[in-house]
Amino acid sequence: MQGGGVSGFHNAPVTRAIVLASGLLSVVFSVNRRARALGLSYQDIIKNFRVWRIFASVFAFQSTPELMFGLYLLYYFRVFERQMGSNKYSVFSLFAIAVSLPLEILSLVLLKDTNYITALASGPYGLIFASFVPFFLDIPITSRFRIFGVNFSDKSFIYLAGLQLLVSSWKRSLIPGICGLIAGSLYRLNVFGIRRRKLPQIVASFFARFFAPPSASSSRPSRSLVGNVPSHTGRTVQNQPSTGFSPVVEPPESSIAMLVSMGFDSNAARQALVRARNDINVATNILLEAQSH
């Protein structure tokens, strides 16, 4: 199964903060036996204006299965923070929440007289399902296999986890999931130029300072993720006898930097790019596949 790059929260302090907040709040409400009181409802939000419900519904899950699948997906999607950088991922997260939350409240208003639903499931559904948009469009399939005659890929497990979370509370969780997909699609379409926006540097520095994992773990010697691939100097290999193969070209530093920003070791990134002939998507596949072994 894919692991979203190197393990842990390396280069993903925003994801770490969200996972910690979601996990801790879910446990606190569960211990106090108030988990069932979570979730957005027309009565609480529109009539009684209980603002704390809005905050709680953004982070805290109501049940253990939802918590397990939700935290797993949040953890996996840390790959997008590594790809975008923490600042832009913060913008993505805030945009997903800011768009999906009003859509959820609007759905409660529209459905208040139908008895179709009285409350929505609690948890970061907006962020999780917004992340499925770039997951579908940007994360390549690295392997395919069959189980009992059914075709699967290494992305299938993530889709199955998302499906389980989407229908975990049926109508109560289905609507927040759909709102999250809409938010992710709007971000993808770059409405209001959102993909160019950045938060003040002090915000990114806050997450990097308080939620980044200890740097000691990154100082250990790293093993190669892609096997015994020889590293090359910064030039095309010259004066080699003709063997029918193209000469090996040193990977661009920009491509190496992009893979490093996703959490991969620089030497492993360089070797993967050499193997992939500088195709960054293929190199990402190689690194992710090696990480799963």
Side-chain angles (χ1 to χ4, degrees):
M1 188 184 302
Q2 292 181 355
V6 296
S7 60
F9 291 101
H10 180 62
N11 285 344
V14 176
T15 300
R16 189 182 192 213
I18 294 172
V19 168
L20 287 174
S22 181
L24 289 174
L25 282 174
S26 300
V27 170
V28 167
F29 280 103
S30 178
V31 169
N32 292 331
R33 297 183 178 181
R34 300 190 64 181
R36 291 298 175 185
L38 293 173
L40 298 178
S41 69
Y42 178 82
Q43 183 73 24
D44 288 325
I45 303 302
I46 305 300
K47 288 190 174 182
N48 298 330
F49 200 63
R50 296 178 179 174
V51 180
W52 69 268
R53 286 276 189 119
I54 298 178
F55 175 79
S57 71
V58 170
F59 292 104
F61 290 101
Q62 291 178 287
S63 68
T64 301
E66 290 173 321
L67 178 63
M68 291 174 60
F69 284 104
L71 292 188
Y72 170 72
L73 290 169
L74 286 171
Y75 177 75
Y76 175 84
F77 288 142
R78 74 198 186 284
V79 67
F80 297 124
E81 181 175 358
R82 292 169 175 170
Q83 185 177 15
M84 300 176 184
S86 295
N87 195 308
K88 285 193 173 183
Y89 185 74
S90 298
V91 174
F92 171 76
S93 301
L94 290 173
F95 180 82
I97 294 170
V99 171
S100 61
L101 193 58
L103 289 176
E104 292 177 31
I105 296 174
L106 178 62
S107 69
L108 288 173
V109 174
L110 295 176
L111 298 173
K112 65 182 177 66
D113 296 325
T114 64
N115 293 323
Y116 180 76
I117 192 169
T118 57
L120 299 178
S122 176
Y125 281 82
L127 175 57
I128 291 172
F129 285 95
S131 300
F132 270 100
V133 175
F135 175 74
F136 174 75
L137 296 172
D138 297 335
I139 300 296
I141 294 174
T142 60
S143 62
R144 298 179 186 274
F145 51 92
R146 293 169 66 89
I147 298 179
F148 300 116
V150 180
N151 292 319
F152 291 93
S153 74
D154 51 345
K155 294 176 67 174
S156 299
F157 295 103
I158 305 300
Y159 286 126
L160 290 173
L163 180 62
Q164 172 63 36
L165 184 62
L166 185 65
V167 299
S168 58
S169 297
W170 189 220
K171 294 178 291 186
R172 298 177 65 249
S173 54
L174 188 63
I175 291 177
I178 293 174
C179 293
L181 290 172
I182 294 173
S185 300
L186 292 175
Y187 182 88
R188 184 76 181 191
L189 293 172
N190 197 28
V191 294
F192 307 122
I194 188 62
R195 297 176 68 175
R196 297 192 299 270
R197 306 294 182 184
K198 287 188 176 182
L199 294 177
Q201 188 59 38
I202 188 173
V203 177
S205 300
F206 169 80
F207 284 105
R209 180 175 181 181
F210 292 100
F211 295 102
S215 59
S217 60
S218 62
S219 64
R220 296 194 300 265
S222 59
R223 59 181 180 87
S224 173
L225 295 177
V226 294
N228 297 322
V229 180
S231 59
H232 299 272
T233 60
R235 297 179 300 276
T236 301
V237 177
Q238 304 288 341
N239 301 323
Q240 287 187 335
S242 177
T243 61
F245 295 99
S246 301
V248 178
V249 179
E250 172 70 7
E253 290 299 324
S254 59
S255 297
I256 297 173
M258 179 174 291
L259 291 173
V260 170
S261 71
M262 296 170 66
F264 296 111
D265 175 72
S266 60
N267 289 331
R270 185 184 302 274
Q271 294 167 8
L273 285 165
V274 169
R275 285 185 61 184
R277 296 188 180 278
N278 293 333
D279 187 319
I280 195 164
N281 289 325
V282 176
T284 303
N285 294 351
I286 293 172
L287 291 164
L288 289 174
E289 189 171 18
Q291 191 68 38
S292 66
H293 295 316

